[in-house]
Amino acid sequence: MVTACTLDTELAQDAFHGMKGATACAKEYIAAQPAGVWLDLDGAVDERDKGTPDDWIPRHPELVRLTGLHPFNCEPPLSLCMAQGFICPPQLHYVRNHGAVPVKTPTAEARQRVWDEWRVAVVGLVDKPLNVSMADLQRLPLRQLPVLLVCAGNRRKEQNMVKQTIGFSWGPTAWATTIWGGCRLADLLRAAGVRDDPEGKLHVHFRGPTGELPKGDDGSYGTSIPLHRALDPANDVLVAWEQNGRALTPDHGFPVRLIIPGYIGGRMIKWLPHIEVAPAESSNFYHFMDNRVLPVGVTPESATAEGWWYKPEYIINELNTNSAMASPAHDETLRVTPDALAGETYTIRGYAYAGGGKKVIRAEISLDGGVTWEGGVVSHPETPTEYGRYWCHALWSFDVSVARLLGAKEVCCRAWDSHMNTQPNHLTWNVMGMLNNPIFRVRIHRAYARGVVSELRFEHPTMPGKQPGGWMEAENAAASASQSPLVSGLKRIASGISLLNINATMQRTPSAQSQLSTRAAHSPPTSPPPASMNEIAAGGVAPPPPAAPPARAGPITLEELAKHTDRADAWLAIRGLVYHIPPSYLKEHPGGADSILAVAGTDATLSYEEVGHSDNAEKILRRFKIGELPREPGLLDAVPVMPIACALVGAGSVFALRVLARKIAA
Amino acid sequence: MVTACTLDTELAQDAFHGMKGATACAKEYIAAQPAGVWLDLDGAVDERDKGTPDDWIPRHPELVRLTGLHPFNCEPPLSLCMAQGFICPPQLHYVRNHGAVPVKTPTAEARQRVWDEWRVAVVGLVDKPLNVSMADLQRLPLRQLPVLLVCAGNRRKEQNMVKQTIGFSWGPTAWATTIWGGCRLADLLRAAGVRDDPEGKLHVHFRGPTGELPKGDDGSYGTSIPLHRALDPANDVLVAWEQNGRALTPDHGFPVRLIIPGYIGGRMIKWLPHIEVAPAESSNFYHFMDNRVLPVGVTPESATAEGWWYKPEYIINELNTNSAMASPAHDETLRVTPDALAGETYTIRGYAYAGGGKKVIRAEISLDGGVTWEGGVVSHPETPTEYGRYWCHALWSFDVSVARLLGAKEVCCRAWDSHMNTQPNHLTWNVMGMLNNPIFRVRIHRAYARGVVSELRFEHPTMPGKQPGGWMEAENAAASASQSPLVSGLKRIASGISLLNINATMQRTPSAQSQLSTRAAHSPPTSPPPASMNEIAAGGVAPPPPAAPPARAGPITLEELAKHTDRADAWLAIRGLVYHIPPSYLKEHPGGADSILAVAGTDATLSYEEVGHSDNAEKILRRFKIGELPREPGLLDAVPVMPIACALVGAGSVFALRVLARKIAA
């Protein structure tokens, strides 16, 4: 079997050095698992993955899927994640895949073959270029660490509720701490004779398999970090082949991946075949066109037109300080009785983290909307590394009397790191919706019986993906219905702020709206992109529009639609209109061609909306319109599988609806 | 002469490695200085220092003095600091002295003797303990870096306007970037055969001269940092003997001091004689009783009673992200003419910094009180180190039309660092008033002529020290006069928030005040202080009260007061009451015995108030009351030097008043 590196307790004890707490935790965790809890790679494939390129990967049924049919991006429900304790089982760990899992290992034999044949090249500015096997890697000293991974898009749904970003709607659980094991990247680079870098100008590039993704020169996902970051042992950059003592799962990079503690997940290349020391940072498409926080007001169009992608100061690497509340959960209720009011307490719980190895030193609660704050109890199940770094999330709790909750409109939380940075009271919108970390606000609603409050109900800001619910949705709906100045204000200011802020502004002063409309343009870029980047830009986010397909006269029937499923001739329907997606655009699609082809020939409305598309995407889509579906039957009836689908919608499973729709249409 | 290490340009070019920008800047700076601008150590001593232990040190007359007569703590006016360009002249660099300058070098001969005879001991867990001379240090490789130093109390005055902390009132200029030169601490430790620290448990202790300060076992100022921090070359911890290419000045640590880039100034020991590698962090009084940010609600009393000083998570090391506005300056005016309104712009300017080597990537301006923000232009006159660290402040600017300023009530600024941390909208009070970094708010006032606005006047939140002015003072006064709920609210909530917040709360909901009063107690300490710390606590901030001196019957005349100036028998008057400060308290006084003895026998009201004393200090003082001054003449007339003093007060110089009062009383 492949899992040669089990978490041997003696070995772990040595390898963890100053991390006894984490080691003990890891051991306890593994010992406490009932037999069979580990994901069986030969297990059943989820119905929703049937027919996709990933239809060989068993996945946990309770993961919340965020990007339609394909590719696979998911997070666990927050309460389920927290219930696992400090160390998350890999099968509940959030997944961020840009395309299909490129290393296919549907059988034990395939896994063993990949393990035996995999090579990692270490090339570039090194004296002894290497091409090492997994067995070679395992000869380097083993380092095992509990490390928190966080997608830079964690909590992006809140940004999307203000204005759609170019990213999909992560909820508050795009994170997990597991125990990663492998060798230090520094040891591997030294084995390759990496050169000295006295001026700090070198970088280490990493990339995944070529040809797996639609963008860039070679279709690989690649990025880079400064060489000094990789070489400093305090940073614990790992080339990892085990998670929680077992081989990696397909979704997490089998057979080997990069781990950069304290960084955003987007730099931790999976299915890693290639490492290169180079004089400049990576020019990979995904290095420049992803993982940036651009200033509010920068749009997908202006980002490219004005060169924002190439301004080095807007790259993001270290995670910022963040926290959210798990208890009370969304829609949780609390009975209010005379006894409860007389002295019972409720324990508020949540998670917090800080990037770059910093420690979370405080978690605080506010019952007055962020005006005054009270300190909770923070616990770190890990102990710091021998370099004083904290690489994991923290847990926190706060006991509050039920009587105090009764008097509050919302409960908010925020964390502070050891550098005394904390979370802002309101979000700042950015075009990629990344590193969103305002204070987390849970609204409190009251139910009455015989004139007195009988129950409190808690409401989170949003639910992940396209799941309905949350007070931000309710406020959006209320704003639209009343056609209040709020809506026009929102549009005009490019959504730099949350609904809460706008509300406050509108209430405060009648002239606020006119102030909002006078926002000056952002400062223009101070330098043009480097020449080598212009090529990427030309093929990038805002390509020259392909020629529009000729429009059809009259309605397009479902039968006709169903015939157009090929790459050269892909049609799909969205909200009653039919679009012909030209091959030239398929390869530009940020979500990849496969995610479009998977729904070609069908009504793709639900898939399209679930992913969450930006205003720019809407504009591009309009160029491809070739006609419309017949007016009758209605939108839902237009899907051929309606009789079954409707029953399922009635049961609340829009996911199952889409899966069935696709299967029958295929 | 002592200044053996001038900033030789070739040498600097080599030493700076990747810091060409900073090197060039340093060279330009030094070349551009007119002859004689360097502080002449043989120059005249400021009148205000005459009669103090520092009466041999020439100091820049425009420095704003913050702690009465003695010890010397000062900052330059913000506009004066900014006018120097990126590199500050040492004579305008803020100074934080806990007592007199302990290394006396009033003559060139004395300086040379100190330089020749100074030794730095390197002891503890090292294989080859050292006792090195300055010449020995100079044999180690020279490292020269522009480094920003910031007192952790920068902007504390704003905290003190909400509620007096136990610190004095720094304005927004407790910072400066100069070029520090010396050897790496790591090189010195390696020369001493420092032992390996595979578990990250060792610390490096530093202390200044013994016997210089009133507290602790040996009267030294001492602290420590983790050994791995000192050994990692990326951190650039220096043992420094030059500033801007010259020998250190007395106030900045001649002959040698520590520089820890990215850290708060309070860890950078001056007049450094002693370095020790040890298994635990420093137990020096000033390591535990200073440089902490305790949660809001912790008071001087509860901090000691509940063991807060010893909770390791509340230590502060790295600076947090901060910014402030220099233009418009406080009380600056801007003419508003039809031409100006038709198209003129005003350039807002300021500084920003982030701790721990992080880069400032954005500076933003808000014209609506922190609701919406617009991006300015950030410039870094430094280039990063070869390890990608930014150790200096950044400068920023934002061009705004005069018409937009006309429509705004205030202009606010905030910065963002490369980890996407920013500044909070409101301050969070803490008992030491440290690392205060809310958005910086400048109010805009209008003057009218013939019914239209003719001029805008800008008002900063505060002025440094006891200087009057600023909108926070005005709001405090307005609140007191009207006896509004604001004042009682402020008192009750232990001042966790700014006046602005309270205002908003009070206006928003009538029940806010009652909510404020229900704040729960902070969580109790989870662990007792280590045994070795209990001894420090016993002699610490809240010692057992000395026996109260017997009260006198009837008023105490000025003639009688003037007789009691000895250490054994020190009396002073404050606000008409006379106090006898017992010898047992003199050594406990946080500001040192000298600062009390300097005003013994006089009316010390102005000195006492200028320093800024906490509620706890007031309580301690009350225990020492022995009587009162005669009711007539009034307070000011009670000072023997009144005829001269009054004339000077008329001219606005309260400093000169105190100096004269002291000289004539001496």
Side-chain angles (χ1 to χ4, degrees), chain A residues 189 194-195 197 202-204 225-232 277:
Chain A
L189 290 171
V194 65
R195 300 195 191 149
D197 181 23
L202 303 186
H203 297 255
V204 200
I225 64 173
L227 178 61
H228 59 75
R229 174 103 201 168
L231 293 180
D232 190 335
V277 180

Side-chain angles (χ1 to χ4, degrees), chain A residues 198-200 228 232 293 318 320 358 362 371-374 386-387 414 419-420 428 497 505 519-520, chain B residues 198-200 228 232 293 318 320 358 361-362 371 373-374 386-387 414 419-420 428 497 505 516 519-520:
Chain A
E199 297 204 341
H228 59 75
D232 190 335
V293 174
E318 284 87 356
N320 57 356
K358 297 194 290 286
R362 302 180 190 179
V371 178
T372 62
W373 294 87
E374 302 167 47
E386 61 269 47
Y387 302 97
R414 71 178 180 188
H419 293 205
M420 293 308 297
T428 296
I497 50 177
T505 306
R519 287 170 54 83
Chain B
E199 298 204 340
H228 58 75
D232 190 335
V293 174
E318 283 88 355
N320 57 356
K358 297 194 290 288
I361 66 164
R362 302 180 191 180
V371 178
W373 294 87
E374 301 167 47
E386 59 267 50
Y387 302 98
R414 71 179 181 187
H419 293 206
M420 292 308 296
T428 296
I497 51 176
T505 307
L516 294 175
R519 286 169 54 83

Side-chain angles (χ1 to χ4, degrees), chain B residues 31 44 68 78 106 203 227 253 297 299 355 376 425 427 465 471 484 537 657:
Chain B
L78 179 53
H203 297 255
L227 178 60
T299 62
N425 271 21
L427 68 78
W471 59 261
S484 74
L657 165 65

Side-chain angles (χ1 to χ4, degrees), chain B residues 254-479:
Chain B
F254 179 85
V256 64
R257 71 172 299 175
L258 200 67
I259 295 294
I260 313 174
Y263 261 40
I264 58 169
R267 308 252 168 257
M268 306 188 198
I269 303 291
K270 300 192 277 194
W271 316 292
L272 178 73
H274 193 86
I275 299 171
E276 184 169 349
V277 180
E281 68 179 305
S282 169
S283 61
N284 186 283
F285 179 87
Y286 295 93
H287 182 76
F288 275 91
M289 295 300 183
D290 203 348
N291 296 313
R292 312 240 145 197
V293 174
L294 302 179
V296 58
V298 176
T299 62
E301 297 82 356
S302 68
T304 298
E306 297 170 3
W308 286 97
W309 298 112
Y310 311 106
K311 292 168 169 278
E313 61 265 44
Y314 296 106
I315 197 170
I316 51 174
N317 284 313
E318 283 88 355
L319 296 164
N320 57 356
T321 301
N322 209 343
S323 69
M325 230 174 287
S327 301
H330 179 67
D331 261 349
E332 183 175 326
T333 56
L334 177 66
R335 286 286 302 276
V336 176
T337 62
D339 277 355
L341 289 174
E344 280 180 23
T345 60
Y346 179 92
T347 301
I348 302 170
R349 295 182 193 279
Y351 71 87
Y353 57 79
K358 297 194 290 288
K359 185 179 183 180
V360 172
I361 66 164
R362 302 180 191 180
E364 294 180 327
I365 290 293
S366 174
L367 293 172
D368 56 8
V371 178
T372 61
W373 294 87
E374 301 167 47
V377 177
V378 181
S379 69
H380 283 269
E382 70 173 330
T383 50
T385 72
E386 59 267 50
Y387 302 98
R389 306 296 175 92
Y390 287 79
W391 295 137
C392 303
H393 70 286
L395 299 168
W396 57 264
S397 64
F398 183 89
D399 290 335
V400 61
S401 70
V402 173
R404 292 189 69 203
L405 287 177
L406 184 69
K409 292 177 181 167
E410 62 180 355
V411 52
C412 311
C413 72
R414 71 179 181 187
W416 294 75
D417 65 37
S418 51
H419 293 206
M420 292 308 296
N421 287 302
T422 189
Q423 303 172 234
N425 271 21
H426 299 295
L427 68 78
T428 296
W429 189 88
N430 67 88
V431 66
M432 302 202 78
M434 285 176 161
L435 293 185
N436 183 52
N437 74 332
I439 64 175
F440 193 84
R441 296 169 184 263
V442 173
R443 294 281 167 85
I444 305 176
H445 304 282
R446 287 155 194 74
Y448 294 84
R450 294 188 213 97
V452 299
V453 175
S454 60
E455 189 178 84
L456 302 178
R457 184 177 61 80
F458 299 96
E459 186 177 27
H460 280 217
T462 63
M463 296 298 289
K466 283 288 164 181
Q467 290 182 94
W471 59 261
M472 294 188 82
E473 183 177 83
E475 287 204 2
N476 263 343

